[in-house]
């Protein structure tokens, strides 16, 4: 059975939406856009511990260095298999190279949010990102 057409030649369901859209004025669109931008920019601040501020580098379970994420530095950490290279840039850190066979910690890429961690298990080196507040998950809650 064909859809019923209104006087304008459009389906009746399409006309039901049009009156609703005609009620939104340009100022309303501006408020919707501003609200969307506010929510989008606040997500990093409130999601899992706020913004990242430090990287903790561990060697064999002990803290090798605590680095402020506002600086740009590189670290070479010796482990049982060789040297692991870690890069720290403003707001992020990553394992650049590792002598481990599977390269899982290198594949983690850039760590930017509090609670993220890259573990180079064979070489016993890890990098963890922390924020001002403690991040909880189902394991440590």
């Amino acid at each position: 059975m064909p859809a019923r057409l209104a006087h304008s030649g459009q389906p009746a369901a399409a006309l039901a939406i049009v009156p609703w859209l005609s009620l939104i004025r340009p100022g309303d669109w501006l408020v919707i856009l501003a609200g969307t931008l506010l929510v989008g920019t606040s997500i990093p601040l409130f999601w899992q511990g706020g913004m990242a501020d430090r990287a903790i580098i561990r060697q064999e379970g002990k803290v090798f260095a605590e680095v402020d994420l506002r600086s740009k530095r590189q670290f070479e950490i010796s482990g049982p298999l060789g040297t692991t290279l870690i890069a720290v840039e403003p707001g992020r850190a990553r394992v650049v190279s590792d002598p481990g066979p599977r390269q899982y910690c290198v594949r983690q890429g850039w760590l930017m949010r509090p609670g993220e961690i890259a573990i180079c298990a064979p070489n016993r080196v890890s990098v963890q990102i922390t924020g001002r507040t403690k991040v909880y998950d189902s394991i440590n809650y």
Side-chain angles (χ1 to χ4, degrees):
M1 177 185 280
R4 299 182 86 194
L5 297 179
H7 295 291
S8 65
Q10 295 180 343
L15 288 177
I17 295 174
V18 173
W20 176 77
L21 287 176
S22 66
L23 295 175
I24 298 177
R25 296 191 176 144
D28 297 332
W29 286 113
L30 187 62
V31 169
I32 291 170
L33 178 65
T36 303
L37 288 174
L38 179 67
V39 169
T41 56
S42 67
I43 286 175
L45 297 174
F46 299 113
W47 187 266
Q48 291 202 356
M51 300 295 288
D53 60 358
R54 288 180 298 160
I56 300 173
I57 302 170
R58 289 187 172 86
Q59 175 187 28
E60 296 194 17
K62 297 181 178 115
V63 175
F64 177 81
E66 264 190 62
V67 185
D68 185 14
L69 286 180
R70 289 180 284 182
S71 62
K72 184 175 182 175
R73 298 177 64 186
Q74 284 198 348
F75 295 90
E76 292 182 0
I77 297 102
S78 299
L81 299 180
T83 303
T84 299
L85 180 63
I86 297 174
V88 177
E89 291 186 1
R92 61 189 189 166
R94 72 175 286 203
V95 177
V96 177
S97 66
D98 181 68
R102 291 188 176 81
Q103 301 290 302
Y104 290 136
C105 58
V106 176
R107 292 183 201 169
Q108 284 292 118
W110 290 105
L111 308 173
M112 295 179 267
R113 290 181 287 168
E116 289 186 324
I117 188 168
I119 300 171
C120 305
N123 208 30
R124 300 181 187 152
V125 174
S126 68
V127 180
Q128 180 180 9
I129 304 298
T130 62
R132 285 181 229 130
T133 59
K134 183 110 171 117
V135 177
Y136 294 100
D137 60 13
S138 61
I139 295 174
N140 63 12
Y141 183 70

